[in-house]
Amino acid sequence: MYSYLEQELQSRFNLFKLWQQPPSKIPEFLKSNQRTIKAVVSNARVGADAQLIDSLPNLEIVASFSVGFDKIDLKRCEEKGIRVTNTPDVLTDDVADLGIALILAVLRKICPCDGFVRSGKWKDGDFGIVTFPCFLLQFSSKPVGIVGLGRIGSAIAKRAQAFGCSISYHSRTQKPLKHYKYYDNIVDLAKNCSILVVACSLTDETRHIVNREVIDALGPRGILINVGRGAHVDEPELVSALLEGRLAGAGLDVYEDEPEVPDPLLRLDNVLLLPHVGSDTVETCNSMADLVLANLEAHFNSRPLPTPVI
Ligand SMILES: O=CC(=O)O
């Protein structure tokens, strides 16, 4: 729970701190407060499943401190007339910035370079020659493919364009954008770019959208960046492609089973691993918290919700 959000929730509402309960005590805690609780504040990692929703008979709204709502059972909420809100827009720039940071860090091996200096090995010879005879790759002018040209995908495209990259994308529908090439097939997109960035939302259609065929189309000089959801990528396929040299590298902020990260990835230095921190800056988290609060206040004052999902 983000501390500013906790503080504000505490001062404006009757706050039940479910996250402070040990897992074994949660059912009992919910049962003893089930009549009183009218709102659930959640996030991308926890969501709100059918079990939680069903255990709160007076639930009116689920307000998520996240743009993604793939872990919220929307169908159940819809059936029960429960409103759902998220925090779009305010986090777009941060996630896009982090996408670019991942690209640069993987291509330029920024973390291994940092480790090289700290270890004192520089005194024995230069980094590129001694440690990695293989490659350090340039970002500027590389073809970038984006999966999902929504708010975040578009912001990544804009940034990559400023690096002189050509932009192509795959999404459900073609956008009226002359300068970006559209592929209606993700395999063709992967074949025609060097850096594939996953930035779409997670749905039944996009689960494992990056599979073996896509990874092989990207190829041994290709880089995969994921700032969407772990489940967009078939993780075992990604791991074997990296181990077998069928993919040059990856920059990941998200994983299928967070906070679990496949063990082999931890030992690869062509992979950069972040702990799902795409929107984690103070400025953005404060704005996200304000949006959660604004949605709750609007709901309980019978005003239109600022950012409704349903
Ligand atoms: O993953 C983060 C979010 O959905 O906001």
Side-chain angles (χ1 to χ4, degrees):
M1 172 57 76
Y2 184 54
S3 58
Y4 165 68
L5 180 57
E6 176 177 348
Q7 237 172 52
E8 290 301 311
L9 287 170
Q10 182 122 40
S11 70
R12 302 186 204 189
F13 300 94
N14 179 12
L15 180 63
F16 296 90
K17 301 184 180 181
L18 185 61
W19 72 94
Q20 288 182 352
Q21 298 298 312
S24 62
K25 293 269 163 55
I26 286 179
E28 192 188 310
F29 182 82
L30 286 173
K31 202 163 176 200
S32 47
N33 297 300
Q34 64 177 3
R35 303 260 154 230
T36 321
I37 295 172
K38 291 188 174 170
V40 162
V41 174
S42 194
N43 61 25
R45 191 162 67 85
V46 178
D49 62 13
Q51 199 184 349
L52 176 69
I53 293 161
D54 290 346
S55 67
L56 299 170
N58 291 330
L59 185 62
E60 295 176 14
I61 181 168
V62 176
S64 191
F65 181 76
S66 67
V67 67
F69 42 82
D70 44 281
K71 290 214 168 137
I72 300 175
D73 194 326
L74 286 189
K75 196 163 159 269
R76 189 62 122 244
C77 289
E78 211 154 24
E79 279 162 14
K80 297 192 150 190
I82 295 166
R83 306 299 308 270
V84 175
T85 64
N86 66 342
T87 58
D89 299 314
V90 293
L91 46 63
T92 300
D93 284 340
D94 274 355
V95 180
D97 290 352
L98 198 80
I100 298 296
L102 278 169
I103 297 174
L104 283 167
V106 172
L107 292 175
R108 302 300 303 268
K109 293 195 181 286
I110 286 175
C111 294
C113 278
D114 176 84
F116 183 76
V117 174
R118 287 170 198 265
S119 71
K121 286 185 188 155
W122 194 12
K123 296 188 177 63
D124 304 326
D126 285 345
F127 175 80
I129 299 159
V130 175
T131 319
F132 297 108
C134 46
F135 56 81
L136 287 164
L137 294 168
Q138 186 179 47
F139 176 38
S140 292
S141 306
K142 282 252 151 46
V144 172
I146 298 178
V147 184
L149 204 69
R151 284 178 286 248
I152 292 172
S154 302
I156 293 170
K158 186 171 146 198
R159 284 157 175 74
Q161 225 181 355
F163 281 84
C165 300
S166 59
I167 309 295
S168 47
Y169 70 101
H170 166 71
S171 61
R172 264 176 313 178
T173 52
Q174 183 166 7
K175 322 270 173 197
L177 297 164
K178 276 203 302 277
H179 302 301
Y180 300 166
K181 186 166 172 44
Y182 174 67
Y183 289 95
D184 61 6
N185 181 325
I186 187 176
V187 177
D188 291 337
L189 174 71
K191 263 186 209 151
N192 288 286
C193 68
S194 302
I195 301 158
L196 187 68
V197 186
V198 182
C200 54
S201 51
L202 182 64
T203 63
D204 289 343
E205 288 144 38
T206 61
R207 189 172 297 274
H208 286 190
I209 191 170
V210 179
N211 56 18
R212 187 181 179 102
E213 196 186 357
V214 174
I215 292 170
D216 285 345
L218 194 53
R221 289 188 72 81
I223 303 286
L224 178 73
I225 302 295
N226 192 359
V227 290
R229 288 286 184 263
H232 283 126
V233 178
D234 184 331
E235 224 164 51
E237 286 295 349
L238 173 65
V239 170
S240 59
L242 288 163
L243 288 172
E244 292 161 19
R246 287 185 287 110
L247 189 68
L252 309 172
D253 186 37
V254 288
Y255 311 86
E256 278 212 84
D257 185 23
E258 293 173 12
E260 299 299 324
V261 176
D263 211 44
L265 292 183
L266 306 178
R267 291 187 290 277
L268 291 174
D269 58 22
N270 54 343
V271 177
L272 193 88
L273 305 169
L274 299 182
H276 199 151
V277 290
S279 55
D280 288 7
T281 65
V282 174
E283 295 89 337
T284 289
C285 286
N286 287 348
S287 303
M288 290 166 69
D290 285 337
L291 211 39
V292 168
L293 295 160
N295 277 298
L296 292 173
E297 302 267 14
H299 174 76
F300 289 115
N301 288 295
S302 305
R303 282 187 273 109
L305 302 178
T307 50
V309 176
I310 55 172

